[in-house]
């Protein structure tokens, strides 16, 4: 299936008007499909598999912002550390420490999102609220990672209200952990607020709900590139 240019242009226009970043999820799709959107101005692309990302990256322009949105194994971090723009799925302190190590080695800072488990399904990766707080408390010494925000995936369901409730919950955590405009708001809380900027939630079938619930970065694949086989 070919790239759906009309869908891209209308989604991009809608997202721009709402200040929501579009990450075009190109996993399993060929380099030529990525280039089609690149030529229309798209720069943020998301990939799930390290090997595939490394291979594609070699053949595409250097100003693409590559988002790693899959489950990242610690022993693979070094393969993408030199060029990755944002790692969305960080859900352990050990992974964060390895990203910090590889970033330090490459003399750069790597931006990451902490992944929170918001869906009903047991199989999804991600932190619960307590684990999130534990990580946020344990950041000292990790000077080459920048925690930019949170990422989550809603349940795979047709029940829009369930999806909305899950996104709303993630947004509430995001607000809770964000550095507030008025510091006094946080003075009574035990958590350590961070300068968060990015709430990555919403995919092809639920991104409008995600945006209504406060997302400012969506990860859209099949609406742009067609269904994956
Ligand atoms: C594949 C994937 C997407 C894109 O899914 P679509 O339904 O094709 O839009 C978004 N986020 C993550 C984490 C993914 O793995």
């Amino acid at each position: 299936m070919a790239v759906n240019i009309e869908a891209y242009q209308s989604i991009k226009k809608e997202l721009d008007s709402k200040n929501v970043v579009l990450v075009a999820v190109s996993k399993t799709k060929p380099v030529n499909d990525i280039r089609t959107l690149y030529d229309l101005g798209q720069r943020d692309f998301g990939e799930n598999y390290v090997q595939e990302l490394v291979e594609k990256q070699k053949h595409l322009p250097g100003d693409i912002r590559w988002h790693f949105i899959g489950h990242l194994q610690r022993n693979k971090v070094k393969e993408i550390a030199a060029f990755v723009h944002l790692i969305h799925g960080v859900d352990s302190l050990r992974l964060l420490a390895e990203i910090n190590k590889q970033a330090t080695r490459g003399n750069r800072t790597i931006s990451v999102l902490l992944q929170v488990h918001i869906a009903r399904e047991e199989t999804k990766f991600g932190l619960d609220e307590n684990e999130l707080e534990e990580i946020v408390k344990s950041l000292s010494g990790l000077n080459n990672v920048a925690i930019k925000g949170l990422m989550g995936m809603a349940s795979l369901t047709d029940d829009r209200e369930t999806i909305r409730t899950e996104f709303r919950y993630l947004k509430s955590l995001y607000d809770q952990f964000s550095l507030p405009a008025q510091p006094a708001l946080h003075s009574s809380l035990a958590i350590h607020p961070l300068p968060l900027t990015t709430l990555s939630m919403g995919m092809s079938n639920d991104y409008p709900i995600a945006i209504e619930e406060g997302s400012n970065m969506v990860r859209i694949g099949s609406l742009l590139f067609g269904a994956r086989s």
Side-chain angles (χ1 to χ4, degrees):
M1 220 215 261
V3 181
N4 190 335
I5 290 174
E6 279 175 23
Y8 170 72
Q9 285 173 327
S10 80
I11 291 170
K12 177 71 175 149
K13 192 170 164 202
E14 177 199 351
L15 297 180
D16 281 351
S17 77
K18 296 174 176 171
N19 285 316
V20 175
V21 175
L22 171 61
V23 178
V25 176
S26 46
K27 64 182 174 210
T28 78
K29 299 296 177 181
V31 163
N32 280 345
D33 287 2
I34 298 175
R35 193 174 280 282
T36 298
L37 290 194
Y38 179 89
D39 289 342
L40 295 170
Q42 179 65 23
R43 289 297 178 271
D44 292 275
F45 290 91
E47 290 281 341
N48 287 57
Y49 309 103
V50 168
Q51 245 26 59
E52 185 181 345
L53 169 54
V54 168
E55 190 52 39
K56 286 175 171 173
Q57 185 260 347
K58 283 185 214 159
H59 298 286
L60 285 157
D63 62 342
I64 287 181
R65 294 183 288 271
W66 291 107
H67 296 247
F68 191 83
I69 64 170
H71 182 68
L72 182 57
Q73 290 173 298
R74 275 180 297 138
N75 63 359
K76 299 278 177 66
V77 173
K78 58 178 174 300
E79 300 184 44
I80 62 171
F83 66 85
V84 71
H85 172 69
L86 181 64
I87 298 175
H88 289 228
V90 176
D91 64 358
S92 78
L93 198 53
R94 292 168 80 204
L95 176 59
L96 200 58
E98 177 63 19
I99 294 168
N100 184 67
K101 179 177 157 189
Q102 297 302 336
T104 306
R105 191 169 279 177
N107 201 17
R108 65 176 297 222
T109 298
I110 296 180
S111 295
V112 308
L113 305 179
L114 298 176
Q115 183 173 356
V116 182
H117 180 109
I118 58 171
R120 294 180 301 199
E121 290 103 29
E122 286 294 328
T123 53
K124 296 259 170 71
F125 297 103
L127 304 157
D128 67 25
E129 197 169 334
N130 293 329
E131 292 165 332
L132 178 62
E133 186 163 350
E134 275 311 303
I135 288 196
V136 170
K137 280 181 184 164
S138 314
L139 297 175
S140 69
L142 299 178
N143 298 319
N144 289 62
V145 286
I147 300 199
K148 292 289 173 72
L150 303 180
M151 177 270 210
M153 291 166 81
S155 294
L156 284 171
T157 173
D158 292 331
D159 178 0
R160 316 310 276 173
E161 280 316 303
T162 295
I163 293 171
R164 185 177 295 284
T165 302
E166 292 169 355
F167 285 148
R168 190 168 291 178
Y169 171 62
L170 186 58
K171 172 67 159 74
S172 77
L173 290 178
Y174 178 81
D175 289 341
Q176 204 179 314
F177 283 87
S178 292
L179 203 58
Q182 298 150 292
L185 286 175
H186 268 270
S187 58
S188 61
L189 296 175
I191 63 166
H192 306 221
L194 297 166
L196 304 184
T197 57
T198 305
L199 180 56
S200 169
M201 60 184 197
M203 307 173 28
S204 289
N205 61 11
D206 58 19
Y207 80 90
I209 304 174
I211 293 169
E212 284 169 16
E213 295 303 328
S215 169
N216 61 16
M217 179 177 281
V218 296
R219 311 173 310 271
I220 298 182
S222 37
L223 280 183
L224 308 176
F225 293 107
R228 292 175 296 273
S229 46

